[in-house]
Amino acid sequence: MAEVFVAKVADFPDGDRRIVAHGVHGIGVFNWQGQFFAYANMCLHQGGPACEGLIMHKVEDVIGPDKTWMGQKFSDSQVHFVCPWHGYEYDIRTGECAADRRLRLKKYNVVQRGDDIYVAV
Amino acid sequence: MVDLPLSNDRRMKVDEFDSGKMLAHATRQAKDRGYEKFPIVDVDSHHYELESFNEILEYMPDPVMKQLAQMANSGNSKGVGVMPGGVGYQDIGGRAIRYPLRRIEKTEPGVHRDVSLTRRWMDAMGVDMAVLFPSPMLQLGLHPQVEAEVALAWAYNRWLCERVLQEESRICSMIYLPFNDPEESYKMVKEFAGKKGVNGFMVTSVRYRPVHHNSYMKVYALIEELGLPLAFHAGYNWNEQSMTMMNKFISVHAIGFVFYNMVHMTNWVLNGLPERFPKLKVIWIESGLAWLPFMIQRLDNEYLMRSSECPALKKLPGEYITDMFYTSQPMEIPRDMSLLESTFKCIKAETQLLYSSDYPHWDFDLPSTIYDLPFLKEKAKRDILGGNAVKLFKLDINGRKLAKVA
């Protein structure tokens, strides 16, 4: 399997992303809390650059023990990247569409070799 | 430089933004689908007129209103105090990133910013001609001072014609009518008909004036005589009494953009206006498509039992509805695509549907939303994407491709 160079580990800080050239639309590679994830950079909605938008924690409702709504908060653990065209949100760890997990971006394996990060294509 | 606030107190600094680059995938779609072979007309697109508000106010005829508005616009809050509107989260908290970043987008020197930005997205998508509408002014029909709607409409329309439509032939518009004042609306039709780039007239639907009121008949008669279309452009209003019960923007947007057009269409059809103005072409803008099978079924069913209330009608309400025109965006893509196919058949989409993007608004649709539909033949795709609009607006482009897809 071919590999595409992404970045040196030292140049790819936590919370950052890279878009690497591959195919027509490229691949988005994320470094999130020391783990690397890579997905096809094409939104399943209208084909937008899904990996190029904001990285946002999942918004959650806070429901009390009596089932009343107490407000909202950002999740401590679940994180999405958001297609900048229309706001489709994708789980950064799985590539699943947060609003309908039956939809999923094509996922690529990320390989660390020495100081270098590659994506397997 | 823009410093964007993100979740959990993170921030992101952005140095530059180019909407053409952000739409690079749209450009790829234009090439892959061969848009260079046929014209594409976008019948509903937008600019942000408050970015040019000081220029617009130079065209305002009322000197006192002009000074009030200039003063209101001189601080950091553009137009606040002059324009109605208020709460709304169109940008999805910045997730639709072109909203917070457009302020740092650079444009071509010597070209009006609105022209430069509009051409940029048109070329990126492969759009040849665009009908351009304002954004915040979509709520101007709620202004508590009728004279303010009138004064702002005069100023905006004059500015639009002189500064935007004169500069770029690929951009046209349907002139904003200050519909809360029928006499001024009439004068406005007289003033702007025939000017370069004026392809019709537009009523913003968010307002509280019934379209069947007798005071409008001479406005409709004049527009019909001129052979130009009349459009009703949808909008939302979180202060609408029933919508004050809604706690989310998605709710207000999803229902609001259909609600007012439902009211106006019901009045339009059941009061027999299509019979009174049989040659007047009417376009309903930005309500999507799913409301139409509902309206047709609902009105037809009740009409058959209560036709005595609607003596002006000579055919079923739904038959008038399918004689009118509709813009496509925001086109609902259902899980069961046979629903969309049925809707297309129901509204005679092959002749009555007009592609629209609504760009740069958050829920814009690319031409591929039409082009990729599996149940349409190539001719129908091309007619919806451009041919129907060329015919309706009598556009003189002779099938030429004007977009410069990079």
Side-chain angles (χ1 to χ4, degrees):
Chain A
M1 185 173 279
E3 292 179 349
V4 178
F5 175 72
V6 178
K8 293 275 184 197
V9 175
D11 298 334
F12 195 173
D14 193 4
D16 209 349
R17 107 211 47 206
R18 295 285 183 276
I19 305 297
V20 296
H22 175 70
V24 176
H25 297 304
I27 296 171
V29 186
F30 299 88
N31 178 359
W32 189 257
Q33 296 181 334
Q35 284 186 281
F36 294 96
F37 306 96
Y39 303 102
N41 184 29
M42 192 177 85
C43 186
L44 300 169
H45 173 220
Q46 289 193 30
C51 300
E52 296 179 32
L54 301 185
I55 298 171
M56 298 285 283
H57 292 80
K58 179 179 188 280
V59 175
E60 295 177 336
D61 277 340
V62 180
I63 305 296
D66 58 352
K67 307 293 184 190
T68 56
W69 184 82
M70 311 288 286
Q72 290 184 323
K73 69 179 187 68
F74 287 110
S75 170
D76 296 325
S77 56
Q78 292 206 57
V79 179
H80 300 159
F81 58 94
V82 186
C83 179
W85 278 9
H86 302 98
Y88 265 47
E89 299 197 21
Y90 294 96
D91 187 321
I92 203 166
R93 291 187 170 83
T94 65
E96 293 168 339
C97 176
D100 183 348
R101 290 189 177 267
R102 290 169 293 189
L103 307 174
R104 184 195 290 256
L105 291 175
K106 180 176 171 55
K107 190 171 188 178
Y108 295 89
N109 286 326
V110 181
V111 181
Q112 184 171 346
R113 190 164 293 118
D115 293 336
D116 297 333
I117 304 290
Y118 296 87
V119 62
V121 296
Chain B
M1 158 86 74
V2 177
D3 187 16
L4 300 173
L6 305 179
S7 55
N8 289 338
D9 297 322
R10 294 173 305 121
R11 301 191 80 88
M12 184 170 84
K13 289 184 169 58
V14 183
D15 294 324
E16 60 182 335
F17 179 70
D18 183 324
S19 51
K21 287 182 186 165
M22 182 52 75
L23 289 168
H25 291 197
T27 304
R28 186 74 241 173
Q29 290 183 13
K31 289 175 181 165
D32 290 347
R33 288 159 179 76
Y35 294 165
E36 77 279 0
K37 295 176 196 148
F38 56 95
I40 297 181
V41 181
D42 181 347
V43 181
D44 177 31
S45 65
H46 292 273
H47 64 147
Y48 291 97
E49 68 279 10
L50 291 190
E51 293 175 358
S52 306
F53 204 41
N54 281 332
E55 275 179 27
I56 291 171
L57 292 176
E58 290 300 322
Y59 292 82
M60 186 172 272
D62 179 329
V64 176
M65 184 68 71
K66 178 178 175 178
Q67 189 272 333
L68 280 172
Q70 284 174 327
M71 186 58 76
N73 199 46
S74 62
N76 290 327
S77 305
K78 294 263 179 201
V80 171
V82 182
M83 297 289 288
V87 179
Y89 309 101
Q90 302 267 9
D91 64 349
I92 330 174
R95 290 167 178 83
I97 205 166
R98 59 194 170 280
Y99 281 79
L101 298 188
R102 63 178 285 118
R103 77 182 91 138
I104 57 169
E105 181 158 16
K106 292 189 170 64
T107 57
E108 303 158 75
V111 179
H112 194 282
R113 181 172 174 82
D114 286 37
V115 172
S116 181
L117 290 177
T118 303
R119 278 202 299 235
R120 188 171 291 169
W121 68 255
M122 288 171 71
D123 287 340
M125 292 185 197
V127 167
D128 299 286
M129 292 199 66
V131 181
L132 194 67
F133 291 119
S135 293
M137 278 180 67
L138 293 176
Q139 297 194 317
L140 190 53
L142 298 175
H143 204 296
Q145 298 167 283
V146 172
E147 62 271 30
E149 186 194 13
V150 170
L152 286 161
W154 277 113
Y156 171 78
N157 289 334
R158 285 173 175 158
W159 168 84
L160 181 72
C161 285
E162 286 190 25
R163 302 298 294 273
V164 178
L165 303 186
Q166 275 294 334
E167 191 171 335
E168 174 52 81
S169 300
R170 290 170 59 198
I171 304 174
C172 52
S173 188
M174 302 178 77
I175 290 292
Y176 180 103
L177 294 181
F179 210 57
N180 291 337
D181 188 328
E183 284 298 323
E184 290 292 324
S185 297
Y186 181 83
K187 285 185 204 165
M188 211 156 282
V189 175
K190 283 259 185 200
E191 171 82 14
F192 289 98
K195 288 198 184 297
K196 186 186 174 201
V198 172
N199 283 351
F201 297 90
M202 183 272 288
V203 174
T204 54
S205 299
V206 183
R207 59 181 70 245
Y208 296 97
R209 295 273 303 196
V211 298
H212 56 281
H213 194 274
N214 280 339
S215 56
Y216 292 121
M217 296 310 118
K218 69 184 220 178
V219 181
Y220 302 146
L222 179 58
I223 298 173
E224 182 185 45
E225 186 188 322
L226 290 164
L228 293 167
L230 172 68
F232 291 92
H233 192 301
Y236 75 94
N237 170 23
W238 210 328
N239 292 316
E240 170 70 41
Q241 194 167 2
S242 50
M243 289 178 205
T244 59
M245 292 186 287
M246 295 177 172
N247 67 338
K248 295 176 190 298
F249 183 77
I250 182 178
S251 318
V252 175
H253 187 276
I255 303 303
F257 267 78
V258 186
F259 175 80
Y260 294 97
N261 271 351
M262 282 183 156
V263 172
H264 296 320
M265 174 182 277
T266 302
N267 283 335
W268 186 269
V269 171
L270 297 185
N271 286 283
L273 294 181
E275 287 294 341
R276 284 188 249 177
F277 304 101
K279 291 182 181 167
L280 178 58
K281 303 278 197 298
V282 177
I283 311 172
W284 300 87
I285 294 180
E286 210 183 329
S287 294
L289 303 182
W291 66 300
L292 293 166
F294 168 84
M295 292 294 288
I296 291 166
Q297 293 174 74
R298 192 85 181 156
L299 295 183
D300 281 1
N301 187 57
E302 300 220 358
Y303 171 72
L304 288 167
M305 295 182 277
R306 305 181 69 93
S307 62
S308 62
E309 287 189 71
C310 319
L313 274 61
K314 294 181 179 164
K315 56 187 181 182
L316 295 175
E319 293 176 289
Y320 293 106
I321 291 173
T322 57
D323 286 342
M324 296 193 276
F325 293 88
Y326 302 92
T327 59
S328 57
Q329 185 277 345
M331 195 171 79
E332 302 88 352
I333 304 291
R335 277 174 288 157
D336 177 356
M337 285 294 278
S338 71
L339 291 171
L340 187 62
E341 186 173 4
S342 295
T343 300
F344 269 58
K345 189 177 169 197
C346 172
I347 66 169
K348 300 192 294 192
E350 295 191 5
T351 56
Q352 307 308 113
L353 188 60
L354 311 163
Y355 163 69
S356 61
S357 73
D358 194 40
Y359 193 83
H361 292 170
W362 67 273
D363 51 348
F364 75 95
D365 280 343
L366 288 175
S368 59
T369 54
I370 297 294
Y371 197 82
D372 293 355
L373 289 175
F375 53 80
L376 288 181
K377 293 200 166 73
E378 184 70 18
K379 181 178 185 314
K381 293 176 182 182
R382 294 183 181 194
D383 285 345
I384 293 167
L385 283 168
N388 291 341
V390 167
K391 204 182 295 179
L392 176 63
F393 294 117
K394 302 184 181 81
L395 298 175
D396 185 22
I397 58 174
N398 296 320
R400 281 178 296 134
K401 195 68 188 170
L402 306 172
K404 299 171 187 71
V405 180

